[in-house]
Amino acid sequence: MIELENITKKFPGADSFSVDRISFRVNEGNICVFLGPSGCGKTTILRMINRLEEPSSGNIFVNGKNVLEVDPSGLRQSMGYVIQQIGLLPHRTIEQNVGLVPELLGWEADKTRKRVRELLEVMGLKPDEVVRKYPHQLSGGQMQRVGVARAMAADPPIMLMDEPFGAVDPIVRIRLQDEFLSLQQKFQKTICFVTHDINEAIKMGDYLIILNQGRLIQMGSPIDVLTSPADEFVLSLIGEDRGVKILDLTRCETLMEPMRETPDDLMGSGCFVQSIQPVKLALEVMMKKDSDHVAVCREEKVIGLLSWKNIKKHINRVSGEDE
Ligand SMILES: Nc1ncnc2c1ncn2[C@@H]1O[C@H](COP(=O)(O)OP(=O)(O)OP(=O)(O)O)[C@@H](O)[C@H]1O
Ligand SMILES: [Mg+2]
């Protein structure tokens, strides 16, 4: 668990606070996403958590221990850090880059070598093809994968990830996000994840922290932030298609009317969705089947009916419009 208590940071000579009285908690196994415009303090917050910067005031606790009272190098080894702009060492091979922390921790060469290969593979790279290469010989997406592998090398319980997928095109980015989320299902790390991108934030975050000019503007789950944005600033970050984003996050079971049988043979005609699938998918099925309702199933049994009317009511309710 990571906890910040009233943290402030003012750099020497600066006339304003880069981080201004911020408090929050990241629970074990959660991904907490920091979102906000350039210069709002995201990187500074991560760097204070692993003590690359010292706060001007306030306290930071990691697993109940005050980080200002523990040895900084030990602290950093317990946290994987994917830095903005990847930051691979240019004159070291990929193998040496990924093995950096294990080497610092004094692992035996064989154990490190094995771990490096295992992680490169987990990250979707072919170890034999990349271990002897240098960073400049890889594509942006490959480098980003190596950056994440390096942060995971010593299996730290905590990961600080500063725009880890920022340097790749949108299609590769989506693939990296998906792969990372499925890894997270397995590894359940405690993660602080920085991004500029609202869609990435909604997709990756169990919890969002929205910042502007060093201040915390709103925190909450993605659906909380989408359905009740704190102010105009948050609304502008979310962008035009708030309704669509909400439909992407709302499960069919949330909006259905429970029932055991559907009025017509929706199952037989393929007009059904699974209860945990997003409402957006139900709309796609409705369009494809030219129907204004779909059956909602769980384990092949019908548990409800989801109608276009209910979806519309929900959108109107969350966007504060009358029906
Ligand atoms: N070492 C430093 N010395 C002085 N000012 C700094 C230093 N590091 C950051 N700042 C200032 O602190 C503020 C927050 O910077 P920070 O790097 O945390 O922003 P960010 O949210 O990560 O931005 P970006 O999205 O562009 O990476 C900025 O105004 C920046 O100029
Ligand atoms: Mg930054």
Side-chain angles (χ1 to χ4, degrees):
M1 191 183 74
I2 302 169
E3 199 167 5
L4 268 69
E5 233 177 50
N6 223 5
I7 285 292
T8 291
K9 175 72 184 178
K10 195 170 176 186
F11 284 101
D15 46 356
S16 61
F17 290 100
S18 294
V19 174
D20 194 357
R21 287 164 295 168
I22 288 201
S23 304
F24 62 82
R25 195 165 79 188
V26 186
N27 288 327
E28 226 173 289
N30 276 4
I31 302 183
C32 176
V33 172
F34 299 83
L35 179 69
S38 190
C40 71
K42 305 179 295 290
T43 298
T44 307
I45 291 175
L46 292 197
R47 288 171 59 84
M48 287 192 286
I49 295 173
N50 69 4
R51 280 195 73 185
L52 289 167
E53 297 290 351
E54 302 282 307
S56 307
S57 65
N59 285 309
I60 300 176
F61 299 95
V62 172
N63 295 328
K65 281 200 192 122
N66 188 334
V67 298
L68 294 174
E69 290 164 10
V70 301
D71 162 50
S73 60
L75 180 77
R76 271 168 228 147
Q77 284 160 7
S78 73
M79 298 181 187
Y81 185 26
V82 184
I83 68 172
Q84 208 170 356
Q85 315 308 341
I86 311 168
L88 299 180
L89 301 172
H91 303 299
R92 301 248 194 140
T93 63
I94 299 310
E95 173 143 37
Q96 291 165 330
N97 265 285
V98 177
L100 207 66
V101 176
E103 192 190 314
L104 283 173
L105 290 172
W107 287 20
E108 280 182 20
D110 258 3
K111 184 176 166 194
T112 303
R113 201 171 307 130
K114 223 174 118 215
R115 176 72 177 155
V116 168
R117 285 168 177 271
E118 181 185 297
L119 273 170
L120 290 171
E121 210 153 326
V122 162
M123 289 310 300
L125 293 166
K126 295 199 177 89
D128 288 335
E129 281 178 19
V130 297
V131 281
R132 274 175 292 276
K133 286 191 172 159
Y134 289 87
H136 74 270
Q137 295 169 303
L138 303 185
S139 71
Q142 289 173 323
M143 276 200 269
Q144 214 125 44
R145 287 166 194 267
V146 173
V148 176
R150 181 176 60 177
M152 291 168 67
D155 200 18
I158 293 175
M159 306 262 291
L160 308 176
M161 308 180 77
D162 199 345
E163 307 231 15
F165 312 134
V168 292
D169 63 73
I171 293 169
V172 176
R173 187 166 181 149
I174 287 169
R175 204 162 63 218
L176 288 176
Q177 291 164 349
D178 291 339
E179 288 168 8
F180 190 76
L181 282 176
S182 69
L183 285 180
Q184 171 64 357
Q185 295 248 311
K186 207 158 69 189
F187 297 126
Q188 299 274 310
K189 308 250 181 219
T190 306
I191 300 172
C192 293
F193 188 107
V194 167
T195 182
H196 267 98
D197 175 355
I198 177 75
N199 292 313
E200 183 165 86
I202 291 171
K203 179 170 174 184
M204 304 300 288
D206 294 304
Y207 211 66
L208 308 187
I209 292 188
I210 297 174
L211 302 156
N212 193 20
Q213 298 182 336
R215 299 220 180 91
L216 195 159
I217 308 296
Q218 183 168 15
M219 52 181 166
S221 67
I223 192 82
D224 285 345
V225 171
L226 284 176
T227 50
S228 16
D231 61 11
E232 287 296 316
F233 169 74
V234 178
L235 209 53
S236 72
L237 269 187
I238 295 171
E240 301 280 300
D241 50 350
R242 190 158 70 104
V244 179
K245 289 180 176 117
I246 290 171
L247 295 183
D248 224 359
L249 280 179
T250 310
R251 292 177 168 193
C252 290
E253 61 189 6
T254 315
L255 300 186
M256 71 180 192
E257 288 172 53
M259 57 182 73
R260 296 245 179 86
E261 277 173 39
T262 55
D264 30 2
D265 185 21
L266 293 171
M267 298 296 284
S269 56
C271 195
F272 65 91
V273 289
Q274 299 300 321
S275 57
I276 59 162
Q277 283 177 320
V279 172
K280 203 167 111 183
L281 188 85
L283 284 175
E284 278 164 27
V285 173
M286 284 181 201
M287 276 195 289
K288 203 148 72 191
K289 300 288 174 187
D290 196 18
S291 162
D292 66 357
H293 50 257
V294 291
V296 180
C297 311
R298 183 181 296 146
E299 287 167 0
E300 294 174 30
K301 279 205 194 92
V302 174
I303 59 163
L305 188 75
L306 179 57
S307 66
W308 164 238
K309 216 171 96 207
N310 279 8
I311 298 174
K312 204 166 136 221
K313 232 197 258 169
H314 178 67
I315 300 177
N316 289 342
R317 195 167 53 232
V318 295
S319 47
E321 286 163 25
D322 292 323
E323 248 178 85

